[in-house]
Amino acid sequence: MFAYVVCAVFLLLFGAGVLRDRRRFSNAVYLGLAVTFLGLGLLAELDDAPAGVSVTVIVVLLLVLAIGPLVLAGLLCANGVKMVRKEGRRPANLLSFLAGLGIFGVIALMATAVITHSKPLGIVAGTLLMVLAYVSFLFVCFIGYAFLYGRMRIRRDADYVVVLGSGLIGGRRVPPLLASRLERGREVYETLAARREVDRTPVLITSGGQGPDEELPESHAMADYLVERGFPADRVLREDRSRTTEENMLLSKSLMERDRPGSECVIVTNNFHAFRAALMARKAGVNGQVVGSPTAAYFWPSATIREFVAVFLQYRAVNLGICAALVLMGCLAWVVS
């Protein structure tokens, strides 16, 4: 009963957080804690369940705990190899491969501690496991809430659609990843335009400055891409000074405030980036919902890990503090032993 009460409390906090502002990472944590305590409550009910049911559930859980990490590590390593083949050997493309190797390393360390009966090694493995459990919990919260956030209905009263830029091919051509954003931006624009009065037709902002290896600003190439495919040129506004996502938000906001003060917007990026972009929009004071465009499946693991790391470090004071506390607990256990 206690677990269900705690679950209800976190569900209430989650609901209140979503109503106040969907773009909060605390919403993801509240939802994760609610699901965790619901699971604990259901596990406690196994004592009253038929013997066959309880045994089956326990066996399945043990198999998941025993085999799941190995399968996950193998899939991450395989994805990392595919990423390198398709996208090159940039550090960002190695994240899934490194994550897989890290999981294998932790499993090997724990197995060695058990086999050798080494207390120091067991304490190190236990401490590492606690830190990994905390980070994994946040990662699952991040993925779960990002999935839900990406499926929330598009707001119908927005005056602007802001498409965030990315690098160009050959210094001037729109790559497939950016083309996906632009096509999604067009869809959102048409949805909004169908519901608005003529004098309040939405405006699409292409946001992106010129990189050192680019022949023109990204926003200009993006606008040209849309206009060449029939998009009305008079409904496109170029923001051509930004270099980062944060600058995309701030400089696009200044254009919106200049022409239509107090306006709302829908921001378009790739789906793996949508939730973090929403957190950044809230931080920048942009009154906007973020929606995602499709991304190739093989690109997801490394991109999602990269997004999570960025969010984890955004709240570094809390997260690193908790990790440090867990390490300190391990050190104290070492001293006591």
Side-chain angles (χ1 to χ4, degrees), residues 237-252:
L237 185 62
R238 297 166 174 82
E239 181 286 296
D240 56 9
R241 293 185 296 147
S242 58
R243 297 293 186 88
T244 64
T245 302
E246 185 176 4
E247 290 182 357
N248 287 145
M249 303 289 184
L250 293 172
L251 295 175
S252 296

Side-chain angles (χ1 to χ4, degrees), residues 24-190:
R24 290 174 175 269
F25 189 67
S26 57
N27 296 338
V29 176
Y30 291 145
L31 180 60
L33 289 171
V35 172
T36 299
F37 279 97
L38 176 61
L40 292 175
L42 292 175
L43 286 176
E45 298 288 342
L46 289 177
D47 290 338
D48 300 324
V53 174
S54 59
V55 170
T56 301
V57 172
I58 292 173
V59 169
V60 170
L61 286 176
L62 290 176
L63 286 175
V64 169
L65 291 175
I67 301 174
L70 289 171
V71 174
L72 177 61
L75 292 174
L76 287 171
C77 288
N79 176 259
V81 172
K82 189 171 184 178
M83 276 291 293
V84 170
R85 288 176 178 172
K86 286 182 172 289
E87 303 290 336
R89 297 183 180 180
R90 292 184 300 152
N93 296 335
L94 297 173
L95 289 177
S96 59
F97 184 76
L98 294 175
L101 288 182
I103 295 173
F104 278 131
V106 172
I107 293 173
L109 180 63
M110 293 176 62
T112 302
V114 172
I115 293 172
T116 61
H117 302 288
S118 169
K119 277 191 176 181
L121 198 58
I123 292 173
V124 171
T127 302
L128 186 58
L129 191 60
M130 287 192 297
V131 173
L132 184 61
Y134 172 72
V135 175
S136 298
F137 170 75
L138 291 183
F139 185 62
V140 172
C141 291
F142 174 80
I143 292 177
Y145 189 70
F147 177 84
L148 292 178
Y149 182 86
R151 280 151 184 78
M152 293 179 180
R153 292 183 60 185
I154 297 175
R155 62 200 318 172
R156 306 291 184 173
D157 53 352
D159 291 307
Y160 290 92
V161 178
V162 181
V163 183
L164 304 184
S166 66
L168 302 176
I169 296 176
R172 62 180 307 107
R173 290 189 294 115
V174 170
L177 197 73
L178 183 52
S180 175
R181 297 184 188 185
L182 291 167
E183 294 300 334
R184 178 65 167 139
R186 180 206 293 270
E187 291 176 9
V188 174
Y189 172 89
E190 291 172 350

Side-chain angles (χ1 to χ4, degrees), residues 266-297:
V266 177
I267 301 166
V268 181
T269 184
N270 288 95
N271 45 20
F272 63 81
H273 185 237
F275 184 41
R276 184 164 77 92
L279 297 177
M280 298 177 73
R282 176 178 175 271
K283 183 179 178 181
V286 177
N287 187 8
Q289 175 189 358
V290 182
V291 300
S293 64
T295 307

